[in-house]
Amino acid sequence: MNVYRYRSKVLSPVAAALLAALAFVTLPAQSAAAAEKPSISADKQEAGKGGDITVSGKGWKPGALITILICGQNMIGGTASCANSDGVAINTNDKGEFKQKVPVSEPPTACPCVIHVATVTGEKATAQIPFKVAGHPVKALPEQTSGGKLAVLAAPRLEGDSGILNWFGSPQSRKLVVTMGNLGSAPVKDPVFKVGTSHGVFSPQWEEQQWKGTIAPGQKAQVKLSVQLDAGAHGDYLVSLQYGGKVLAEQPWGVPRPWGVTLFWILLCIVVPAAVFRIGMAVVDRVRPRRKGNKPRRLTEQVTAKLPKVLKPAQITGGEHKKPRSPRRPRVEPDATASTATPENSAAATNGTGTSTTAGLPWFTPDTAPGVPAQHSAPQENRPIPPA
């Protein structure tokens, strides 16, 4: 037990000394790294469009993702005054340093120009140095307003709803409502804001809008600015508000898909092929050759045309020949004197011998009845004319 106590008493001062020496060595290095600010440098101070320069930097966070841009007007208008399409993005090494070749391009605004480097993710850090783009126009910097200073006091919001026309691809529009406050010592009259909309990784498309009104020092006001997208736009958008070269507020905007346009294309893909099919079938039915008719039917038609008019086509259908019927004779009604038994006509019905004679049948005339001798007399009026 005494040996262990002795060892612990001896080792504890030694360990404390080692820890102190290690802290003495590492703390200055950490403090020096913390004190060093991000900086950049270029191998050229002037170059023309189409050339390239080598940009170096140190003092950045190790492994940080940074962007290198050439901007005009000293980047007063933010990244909107930079050549974003020709920018370069790289990662710093373990020591927080980088060295990258960058193509020279003309920024959208006039010079004086700068080389601007900023971090994309993590802790924000920026650095810039002056640079001259040969052949690019140079203009004086805009006057900086002093006294008034606007700031956003409440979270922005979007007002408005989608209608039936938006469901069929009409441009979406909203009102960006922001509560602004004047933190300066002078009033701000008719400020000019920039409203931008961005989709995905693309940079915002800025549009200047002037708000009519005055915000006194220490006062606040509700600012409403219109925001509109292109026809058929959908997805996740970001609405940004910029004033004085600084982005004051950002508001996400989820735009629904115009399903009416999708439904229209689906119906179009169904109706058009169906209409083309119907038209094609009508054309084919008109231009195709006629089929040959049935020979027995044709023969029947020819024979029917040559037969006398007495025979009807219905009498020779099916290949059978039917004997034509003779025309019926009109029915003759019996004479009222023969059918009525009266004392006057009973005597006329007996012959001279006193024997009675049988009256003629209805379909025979009295002079042609059986047993009656033929008499040559003029025909009666009701006697039918025999057929020719």
Side-chain angles (χ1 to χ4, degrees), residues 18-340:
L18 291 175
L19 290 175
L22 183 61
F24 179 77
V25 174
T26 56
L27 284 177
Q30 294 178 357
S31 62
E36 187 178 4
K37 295 182 179 180
S39 61
I40 58 174
S41 61
D43 60 342
K44 300 177 183 178
Q45 300 296 325
E46 180 180 355
K49 181 182 179 180
D52 54 63
I53 56 174
T54 302
V55 181
S56 304
K58 59 181 180 178
W60 299 84
K61 185 177 180 180
L65 178 63
I66 61 174
T67 57
I68 306 174
L69 302 172
I70 297 179
C71 307
Q73 292 288 289
N74 284 350
M75 202 183 171
I76 293 177
T79 55
S81 60
C82 303
N84 297 298
S85 58
D86 296 325
V88 178
I90 59 171
N91 291 93
T92 60
N93 56 17
D94 298 338
K95 298 180 180 180
E97 300 176 352
F98 69 89
K99 188 175 183 180
Q100 180 65 31
K101 184 178 291 187
V102 180
V104 178
S105 58
E106 296 182 349
T109 56
C111 287
C113 300
V114 295
I115 299 175
H116 179 78
V117 180
T119 57
V120 178
T121 58
E123 185 180 356
K124 292 185 178 181
T126 59
Q128 61 185 29
I129 56 174
F131 180 74
K132 184 176 181 181
V133 180
H136 194 61
V138 180
K139 294 183 180 180
L141 296 177
E143 297 181 0
Q144 299 290 334
T145 58
S146 58
K149 184 179 180 181
L150 297 181
V152 177
L153 303 181
R157 68 179 187 275
L158 293 173
E159 289 185 352
D161 295 323
S162 301
I164 187 66
L165 295 179
N166 301 128
W167 200 67
F168 286 94
S170 179
Q172 296 276 358
S173 60
R174 296 289 189 274
K175 286 288 185 179
L176 179 63
V177 181
V178 185
T179 302
M180 306 293 295
N182 188 356
L183 305 181
S185 58
V188 178
K189 183 179 180 180
D190 299 338
V192 178
F193 298 94
K194 286 186 177 181
V195 180
T197 56
S198 59
H199 181 58
V201 297
F202 297 98
S203 58
Q205 297 180 358
W206 300 101
E207 179 184 359
E208 291 187 355
Q209 296 187 29
Q210 186 175 18
W211 182 75
K212 296 293 185 179
T214 302
I215 304 177
Q219 301 295 323
K220 63 180 181 180
Q222 192 177 66
V223 178
K224 293 185 178 181
L225 304 172
S226 60
V227 184
Q228 186 172 355
L229 301 178
D230 297 333
H234 62 276
D236 295 330
Y237 282 81
L238 184 65
V239 181
S240 304
L241 178 65
Q242 187 182 93
Y243 177 75
K246 296 181 180 180
V247 178
L248 302 181
E250 293 179 345
Q251 177 65 26
W253 183 12
V255 183
R257 181 182 293 272
W259 291 108
V261 179
T262 306
L263 180 61
F264 169 78
W265 285 111
I266 292 175
L267 293 178
L268 188 65
C269 293
I270 294 176
V271 173
V272 171
V276 172
F277 175 77
R278 292 293 298 273
I279 295 173
M281 292 300 297
V283 172
V284 170
D285 186 59
R286 182 175 292 273
V287 301
R288 69 179 178 181
R290 296 181 179 180
R291 297 181 179 179
K292 294 182 178 180
N294 192 6
K295 290 184 178 180
R297 184 177 180 181
R298 280 191 166 185
L299 182 60
T300 303
E301 294 176 356
Q302 295 176 3
V303 172
T304 305
K306 293 180 180 180
L307 286 177
K309 295 183 178 180
V310 178
L311 298 179
K312 297 182 179 180
Q315 296 175 354
I316 58 173
T317 55
E320 297 180 358
H321 180 73
K322 295 182 180 180
K323 184 178 180 180
R325 297 179 180 180
S326 60
R328 294 183 63 182
R329 295 181 179 179
R331 183 177 179 181
V332 180
E333 298 292 336
D335 192 1
T337 59
S339 60
T340 306

